Amino acid sequence: MISLLNAFKAAPARPGPANLDMDRFKRLRWQTFLSMSLSYALFYVCRLSFNVVKPALVAHNLLSPAQLGIIGSALFALHLQQRRPPTLPKRKDSLVPVQP
């Protein structure tokens, strides 16, 4: 049992680059976090409000039900793709191979 749990141990820390600009790193880290959070929130809100607008779009003949179905399927596929867990980097000392 212990050997099985050893497969999930964290890899030893590697030294970072010597010329790392911490101010730039922190700024980029926040920019990345905020852009990902805002884009996901925007996507989620648009996906939910799209269901409310569908009847009005069909009633005014702006889009057909088939076109709305294609758009809804595309949004659902994008939502599933965003929720997919990221692939883990391979470790040299890993006992369990990681499949992408």
Side-chain angles (χ1 to χ4, degrees):
M1 182 69 174
I2 297 297
S3 64
L4 179 64
L5 294 178
N6 286 338
F8 297 104
K9 278 188 177 178
R14 295 185 300 185
N19 58 355
L20 181 65
D21 183 10
M22 286 305 290
D23 290 335
R24 183 171 184 258
F25 174 73
K26 287 179 183 180
R27 188 179 70 247
L28 287 174
R29 183 172 55 183
W30 272 107
Q31 285 177 351
T32 303
F33 171 73
L34 290 175
S35 66
M36 293 296 291
S37 298
L38 291 175
S39 64
Y40 185 76
L42 181 66
F43 170 77
Y44 192 75
V45 168
C46 288
R47 185 178 66 90
L48 289 179
S49 63
F50 184 66
N51 289 329
V52 175
V53 176
K54 278 182 184 180
L57 291 173
V58 173
H60 294 326
N61 293 326
L62 295 173
L63 292 173
S64 70
Q67 291 170 327
L68 289 173
I70 292 171
I71 293 171
S73 298
L75 288 174
F76 181 68
L78 285 173
H79 181 69
L80 288 180
Q81 201 275 334
Q82 281 185 344
R83 294 180 55 87
R84 183 179 53 90
T87 57
L88 300 174
K90 292 185 179 180
R91 288 180 16 197
K92 291 180 182 177
D93 61 340
S94 177
L95 299 176
V96 180
V98 178
Q99 298 294 327

